[in-house]
Amino acid sequence: MSGIVDSFRSFEGRIARKGFWLGVLVLALLAIVLTLLLAPLMSGDFLQRAMILFEQPDYDGAEASALMLEAAQRGAWASLVVNLIIGYPALALMVKRRHDRNSSGADAIVLYALTLLGLALQSVGIGNEIVAFEDGLVVAPTLPLIALNIVTGLLGLYLFIVMGFLKGTAGPNRYGPDPLAPTQQDAR
């Protein structure tokens, strides 16, 4: 377990796929726990106000729209906080995995920055709008947010494939020794 913890501490060195996936699992579980802890704090009296509004037979569509946008904003805030909390260990893990493929890891940092940008915009109320859909209203992203999400998604998909499924550089590279190479202790 100390090997996984070490993977989160710095941006130096390399990590193999197995260590990467174990780290991803740990961070995913942490994100779930943080989200469950933050949900009540972020919702406040929101659910109570929503239930009162939607139980009224003649509820105001404008008030419902404002409530839906508020829900999207609160969700973005919660996601932003979770991403900020797990950001350093997640970046350390991704950069080390990119190092194993002899890459600087700058693309992982760009992915994280784009993710934070999208969440920050939504959390302050930029990027979402109410759209009529069939018999109701839905919260939908604006075109600039859609474009940002497409770029972020494509970069995320690329990094998911590269970090999660492709072998690292065989032997030492400029970032350190091969994490899969036998150590001198193993040779004894």
Side-chain angles (χ1 to χ4, degrees), residues 14-166:
R14 297 168 61 176
I15 189 171
R17 286 176 290 184
K18 180 181 177 183
F20 171 76
W21 282 114
L22 287 173
V24 167
L25 179 63
V26 168
L27 290 175
L29 292 173
L30 177 61
I32 290 168
V33 169
L34 288 171
T35 301
L36 290 174
L37 291 174
L38 282 174
L41 297 174
M42 297 303 287
S43 66
D45 69 337
F46 175 79
L47 292 175
Q48 182 181 11
R49 288 186 295 130
M51 289 181 66
I52 290 170
L53 176 67
F54 291 117
E55 285 177 354
Q56 297 174 0
D58 57 341
Y59 73 90
D60 181 13
E63 192 176 345
S65 295
L67 200 59
M68 291 168 68
L69 285 172
E70 181 184 342
Q73 228 176 317
R74 286 174 180 259
W77 271 113
S79 294
L80 182 62
V81 169
V82 169
N83 272 276
L84 288 170
I85 291 171
I86 67 169
Y88 185 88
L91 275 174
L93 190 69
M94 289 189 295
V95 167
K96 283 182 179 183
R97 184 66 194 125
R98 293 299 285 137
H99 285 178
D100 192 41
R101 302 234 345 118
N102 209 21
S103 172
S104 70
D107 46 8
I109 295 169
V110 168
L111 175 66
Y112 182 64
L114 290 173
T115 301
L116 290 182
L117 174 63
L119 291 172
L121 289 173
Q122 291 176 77
S123 65
V124 295
I126 300 171
N128 288 322
E129 61 188 356
I130 297 295
V131 176
F133 183 75
E134 293 184 7
D135 292 337
L137 302 172
V138 295
V139 176
T142 60
L143 285 177
L145 185 61
I146 290 171
L148 177 63
N149 288 342
I150 288 171
V151 170
T152 304
L154 290 173
L155 180 57
L157 178 62
Y158 165 76
L159 288 174
F160 174 73
I161 292 167
V162 169
M163 290 187 292
F165 300 103
L166 300 182

